[in-house]
Amino acid sequence: MAGIVLFCIVSLFSHFAATNARIPGVYSGGPWQSAHATFYGGSDASGTMGGACGYGNLYSQGYGVNTAALSTALFNNGLSCGACFEIKCDQDPHWCNPGSPSILITATNFCPPNFALPSDNGGWCNPPRPHFDLAMPMFLKIAQYRAGIVPVAYRRVPCRKSGGIRFTINGFRYFNLVLITNVAGAGDIVRVSVKGSNTAWMSMSRNWGQNWQSNAVLVGQALSFRVTGSDRRTSTSWNVAPPNWHFPLLTFLYFPGKVLKGLVGLKG
């Protein structure tokens, strides 16, 4: 049976706070745009677990109920996994909650098209429609349950995460599948590299969602990871896995931190 190893690195907010505004490529979000939103997953959002981004249990991974499945137009073949959005009900006084409060969500799933239904009558996630299928508790923060579907305004925003990037390693000796979660800034990931204590940096390939793979034999080596988001910021996490990690093993190293801005690896 494939083993699972989970590592987390500490975030050092104080080291980066003073210089954050001067770092090239800092993610500043995007303009407001129009879309629609529905809901799924039940009142406790239990039906949102798993999903096309590969995050598994959204509670234990730190995402909670602040999540959404994105339509084809927004999901971008999985490249949007981990991206964060601000959403508010828009121009529907009958169904929008008073004051049009906004919510912050992370993209964790894909809302597939339903070509058997018209795009304006049940096929809400058909391309080219931008659409958010929200976890039910989040939908109820912006609109009434009976609405079913509401027009929304949305914009991409920086992700604010605490506790550091998390690396979950599945696989066996010749196959390492690394799930990367809890990423701040742009939130999404465009490139990942891994380095063993006896190797050079090696590019990883996206397997699916935010699962990245390497076929190198890395058992017995301390592992470092280099993660780049769509904001062009690269975070290098040095020696997050100690040399004695192995399959099968479950190790959880968690270092509560402040709001995630800059990232520095911490030796296990």
Side-chain angles (χ1 to χ4, degrees):
M1 180 181 295
I4 300 176
V5 187
L6 176 59
F7 299 95
C8 183
I9 63 171
V10 65
S11 61
L12 301 182
F13 173 79
S14 58
H15 180 71
F16 288 85
T19 61
N20 180 62
R22 295 189 295 274
I23 298 175
V26 169
Y27 193 77
S28 57
W32 287 102
Q33 301 179 70
S34 297
H36 284 80
T38 49
F39 62 87
Y40 79 117
S43 59
D44 61 355
S46 59
T48 66
M49 300 299 112
C53 292
Y55 293 141
N57 188 317
L58 299 177
Y59 293 125
S60 62
Q61 293 289 8
Y63 296 108
V65 301
N66 293 61
T67 64
L70 274 55
S71 65
T72 300
L74 296 173
F75 191 66
N76 197 17
N77 292 319
L79 297 179
S80 294
C81 288
C84 295
F85 297 86
E86 182 179 8
I87 301 172
K88 58 184 178 181
C89 192
D90 188 41
Q91 299 181 5
D92 191 342
H94 185 67
W95 295 118
C96 293
N97 286 341
S100 295
S102 66
I103 56 173
L104 299 176
I105 61 93
T106 301
T108 60
N109 203 354
F110 173 54
C111 181
N114 183 353
F115 295 115
L117 295 175
S119 297
D120 60 352
N121 188 19
W124 310 125
C125 291
N126 292 350
R129 290 176 60 99
H131 189 90
F132 295 88
D133 203 12
L134 301 170
M136 183 175 171
M138 300 309 294
F139 182 89
L140 296 180
K141 288 181 180 292
I142 64 171
Q144 298 180 45
Y145 174 86
R146 288 171 52 196
I149 180 172
V150 292
V152 297
Y154 75 96
R155 63 178 176 177
R156 184 86 180 266
V157 294
C159 296
R160 300 177 64 85
K161 306 294 183 183
S162 62
I165 295 181
R166 302 178 187 181
F167 301 91
T168 305
I169 306 176
N170 294 273
F172 47 87
R173 183 175 179 85
Y174 298 99
F175 177 74
N176 306 284
L177 189 66
V178 182
L179 171 63
I180 304 174
T181 59
N182 208 49
V183 179
D188 55 9
I189 300 172
V190 299
R191 185 166 60 253
V192 179
S193 298
V194 62
K195 182 185 184 308
S197 50
N198 300 323
T199 74
W201 285 103
M202 298 175 289
S203 295
M204 304 183 74
S205 59
R206 189 189 302 271
N207 186 289
W208 66 284
Q210 288 300 6
N211 285 279
W212 296 76
Q213 74 175 64
S214 168
N215 294 325
V217 178
L218 297 171
V219 175
Q221 302 181 57
L223 300 184
S224 302
F225 294 94
R226 185 165 284 167
V227 177
T228 302
S230 63
D231 55 1
R232 307 192 310 279
R233 297 187 72 189
T234 296
S235 300
T236 301
S237 309
W238 292 100
N239 300 325
V240 292
N244 61 344
W245 73 272
H246 60 86
F247 300 115
L249 175 68
L250 176 63
T251 301
F252 178 66
L253 305 177
Y254 184 72
F255 302 89
K258 296 183 179 180
V259 176
L260 193 59
K261 295 289 186 183
L263 301 172
V264 178
L266 187 69
K267 186 175 182 179

